[in-house]
Every structure is written in structure tokens, then in C-alpha cells.
Amino acid sequence: MISILLVLTTGILVGLMTVRKPRLHRINNHLLNWSIYLLLFLLGISVGTNEEVIRSLGKIGYEAVAIAIGSIAGSVLFSGLLYRFLFKKK
Amino acid sequence: MKSSLIIFAFFVAGILAGLSGVIPSGFDWDKIGGYALYILMFLAGSSIGSDRNSWKVLATHNYKIIWVPVTIILGTMVGAALVSLVLPSLTLRESLAVGAGFGYYSLSSVFITQLHSHSLGVVALLSNIFREVATLLITPFLVTYFGKLAGIASGGATAMDTTLPVISRYSGKEYAIVAVFSGIVLTILVPFLVTFILTI
């Protein structure tokens, strides 16, 4: 998976070199949106054709909600401590 | 919010297309998805790199602000780890990988699908969409009880765009800058962290 991170880093560098080209950014953002749509559509197809995933969709949804709640609760509690000790104006 | 609805609609359309049997059986998602992922990574990278704000915010703020994303990463990882203890069907690694999406559902779900499995990719998609939607709904409550960083923490990577308006509204404009900074750092880290968690 190093190759993926290399592609990402190359992208960041190309972005840095084209900071002064706003038209390119607009095109890039359009392409980015559509490639995300395409990938999620493809992911949907692979889910729809995968009987095992379809059968366990209930379990998947349940796990998804549990992880989201855990992540939100953990980060919010930690940020509460940080706020009290470093940000709050006394 | 609107964009997550569009993305979700594409995902559901894909499921329906898959279920209906119109997709030829030789369809190799992993191969096509793999190439598409490279394109997505390149585009995402250049969009981050070319955004002047990404670098300006970094340069003009004092050290305190660095602790915000660090704290959010630690809190998220602890929270997700606890979930894997409660739900035996999830391993620690799986739970951490999904949590490391920080609300950035599009990228994290595609990544996890490629690196791990389709079913965990779907968990990542739903879980991170849920994180974004929940942040939009409960930020006023969170800010009241847990301080002005709470909405930024809950929003994770989305604090720089989709959940920024609600954060700015309830924590104040001066925290909007903190939100953008934290969101950018988390957004950049998502692909690195997810890869790291799933491949170590």
C-alpha cells in the first residue's frame, strides 16, 4: 500500500506547485467529487452482488453506529479536558 | 449534508444495480476500484496541497492548536477500542480502522474496502456518515456540556467543511479557525492512519 501513499504525496506536491491556478482547482474538485461518486457506486455494486455482505447488513449497521458513538464520545471527552486545561479563559 | 446524501444515493444505486443482476458476472470490482482509488488519491492530494488555507493556518497559529487534532485522535482511538471490547464481532484493528476515518467516509470506506474487506468498508461508510450527521445534530448540546472544542472533536475531519457552520455558530468564530486547522490535519492523516492500522 506504499504505492497509494506515494500517489497521495505526489498529488499534494502537484497541488503545492499549482497553488496559483484557481481554474485547475475547480476542475480538480469536480473530478474529485465524481471519482468519489464512482467509487461509492462501485462499492455499492460489490455489496449488492456479495450475498454474504447483504445477509449481514443488519450487523454491519449496528457495528457502524457503535463505532461512531464510541469515537464521538471518546474524542468529545478528551477535548473537554483539553479545553478546561488549555483553552478556557479563567 | 447535501453531499453526503448524494454520495449515499450513489452507494444505494450501486447496491440496487448489484442486486438486480444487471451487472455482468465478470465484473472485477477490486481491479477497477483499485485503479479508481489511485486517481482519487492523486486528486485528493492535489486538492489538499493547492488549498492555501491548509498551510496558512498552520503557520499563523500558536502551538496550543496542535493539541486539538492530537487529542481528537487519542480520544477517537480510545473510544473505538472500547467498542471492540463490547462487540466481540469486531477486532481491535477493525474498530480502530473505522474510527480512524474521523467522519471522512468517502475516502476511509474506499480505503478499508481495498485493504481489508467489503463488509468493513461498508461499516466505515455508514459509521463515518453517522459521525457527520450526529455532529450536525448534537453540537449545540456537546458545546454546552463539554466546552467549545466538543463540536470540533465530534466533527473530526469534517470540521473543516460540512460541520464547520454549526461549529462556528455554537463555539464562536474564533473557534472556526481551530476547526479548520484540526479538520485539515485529520483529513490529511486519514489515509496514512487507516493504512498504518490495517497493515501493521
Side-chain angles (χ1 to χ4, degrees):
Chain A
M1 275 306 130
I2 294 204
S3 53
I4 283 200
L5 297 181
L6 273 178
V7 172
L8 177 69
T9 315
T10 311
I12 293 179
L13 292 176
V14 170
L16 274 175
M17 288 186 287
T18 55
V19 159
R20 279 166 219 284
K21 303 219 163 50
R23 259 193 70 214
L24 273 179
H25 302 170
R26 267 210 308 280
I27 297 171
N28 183 28
N29 280 333
H30 275 295
L31 288 174
L32 184 58
N33 276 339
W34 280 100
S35 63
I36 289 172
Y37 298 157
L38 173 69
L39 275 160
L40 267 300
F41 181 69
L42 291 172
L43 178 60
I45 290 178
S46 75
V47 167
T49 50
N50 187 327
E51 272 177 44
E52 199 199 318
V53 175
I54 286 293
R55 244 184 287 126
S56 54
L57 219 48
K59 178 179 148 264
I60 285 175
Y62 175 58
E63 290 175 351
V65 170
I67 297 174
I69 291 174
S71 302
I72 291 174
S75 62
V76 166
L77 288 175
F78 276 47
S79 81
L81 292 176
L82 180 70
Y83 179 70
R84 265 180 80 173
F85 291 116
L86 215 53
F87 283 81
K88 199 174 181 179
K89 293 188 186 89
K90 291 176 183 107
Chain B
M1 191 68 190
K2 194 179 136 225
S3 64
S4 55
L5 281 178
I6 297 175
I7 286 177
F8 196 68
F10 271 95
F11 174 64
V12 172
I15 293 183
L16 295 177
L19 283 175
S20 70
V22 294
I23 307 298
S25 58
F27 181 78
D28 185 353
W29 191 86
D30 292 309
K31 208 164 181 190
I32 302 170
Y35 290 129
L37 182 61
Y38 281 105
I39 298 169
L40 177 67
M41 292 319 298
F42 179 77
L43 294 171
S46 55
S47 133
I48 293 166
S50 66
D51 189 345
R52 270 196 188 155
N53 282 329
S54 318
W55 312 101
K56 225 197 287 176
V57 180
L58 263 172
T60 54
H61 280 274
N62 71 43
Y63 79 97
K64 269 200 321 197
I65 201 172
I66 298 278
W67 288 106
V68 177
V70 171
T71 307
I72 295 171
I73 292 171
L74 290 175
T76 300
M77 293 297 103
V78 170
L82 289 176
V83 170
S84 78
L85 291 179
V86 180
L87 291 182
S89 61
L90 281 168
T91 66
L92 177 63
R93 187 195 291 260
E94 290 169 343
S95 193
L96 290 180
V98 172
F102 301 109
Y104 195 173
Y105 46 82
S106 51
L107 204 61
S108 68
S109 61
V110 170
F111 247 82
I112 290 173
T113 304
Q114 287 290 319
L115 293 173
H116 191 279
S117 64
H118 289 165
S119 53
L120 196 67
V122 179
V123 174
L125 175 70
L126 297 178
S127 184
N128 285 294
I129 287 182
F130 187 77
R131 183 165 182 170
E132 179 187 284
V133 174
T135 302
L136 291 170
L137 297 175
I138 63 173
T139 290
F141 162 82
L142 293 177
V143 169
T144 310
Y145 291 96
F146 301 98
K148 293 186 174 173
L149 294 172
I152 299 173
S154 176
T158 70
M160 65 184 269
D161 42 47
T162 46
T163 59
L164 182 61
V166 65
I167 291 166
S168 163
R169 166 90 171 70
Y170 291 97
S171 293
K173 280 233 176 68
E174 69 273 29
Y175 279 90
I177 296 162
V178 182
V180 170
F181 170 77
S182 172
I184 288 171
V185 171
L186 293 174
T187 299
I188 295 172
L189 287 179
V190 166
F192 292 98
L193 272 174
V194 170
T195 309
F196 179 70
I197 291 168
L198 288 178
T199 53
I200 45 168

